[in-house]
Amino acid sequence: MGDELLHLTVLGCATPYPSVDNPCSGYLVSSGDTRIWMDAGSGTLGPLQRHVRLDELDAIWISHLHADHSADLLTAYYGALYADIHLAAPIPLYGPPGIADRLANFLTNTPARSPVESAFAVTELHDGHQAAIGSLRLTSRAVSHGIPAFAVRIEAAGTSLVYSGDTAPCPSLTELAEGCDVLLCEAESAQAPVEGEQVHHTPEDTGDTARTAGVGRLIVTHVGRFLTPQQAVARASARFDGPVDYAAPGATFEVI
């Protein structure tokens, strides 16, 4: 039996495309022998394999279907079915409604539908969806991103991690994060839009969400191209008095 603590490993957090040393959004969440690939953005399958093979995953959880959070499912499909991976069963895949058909439509090269279900056992998320995966319990909530999108609370051994996915500040995220030990929250926007719908947090929003939810620790992620990580952390810290870190690629955090 492995370490029962909840661990978060950052595979990448770039947006909207990978940088030289930072893949797009992807994380490995683990506790004991349970391992979940959380978001599969462009480039994250590579660093994932430093820690776990595809056939060793207990599940994949996808927040929404923008490519910087889901594109590596396409290469994972080929790896799972046509390379050196031998699945005992399809990998459980939790994602927004329509995820299976989206994958199949992209992968299909003939009139026949690509057999995505041979690689992934798909469960569509809905607001309030709950799942038990090994030693972990997951609760997903719909959030505000202009398309179907979800945040998730992961609980194990009396500790809790909440991941915002991509979203504007919204009551469902604050409710989901209430009292959690660690909030992994995006801070993509340098400023809120003057016109149109807000679909991301600013760093100040990130700090406000953490403060209102009463979280123990904030980890800022998915910082946009018009901010530096240092700026995002400083601006979030001005609104939240607890510890604030940056989700640097390759970093591992213990949730305590």
Side-chain angles (χ1 to χ4, degrees), residues 70 73-74 93 98-108 116 120:
S70 64
L73 289 176
L74 302 173
L93 170 62
I99 187 171
D101 286 340
R102 281 283 296 273
L103 291 172
N105 290 337
F106 188 96
L107 293 163
T108 297
V116 295
F120 305 118

Side-chain angles (χ1 to χ4, degrees), residues 15-32:
T15 176
Y17 61 93
S19 61
V20 172
D21 55 1
N22 189 8
C24 288
S25 290
Y27 311 88
L28 176 64
V29 178
S30 60
S31 176

Side-chain angles (χ1 to χ4, degrees), residues 76-77 80-81 87 89-92 115-121:
Y77 165 84
L81 295 185
L87 295 180
I91 304 166
V116 295
E117 288 83 4
S118 297
F120 305 118

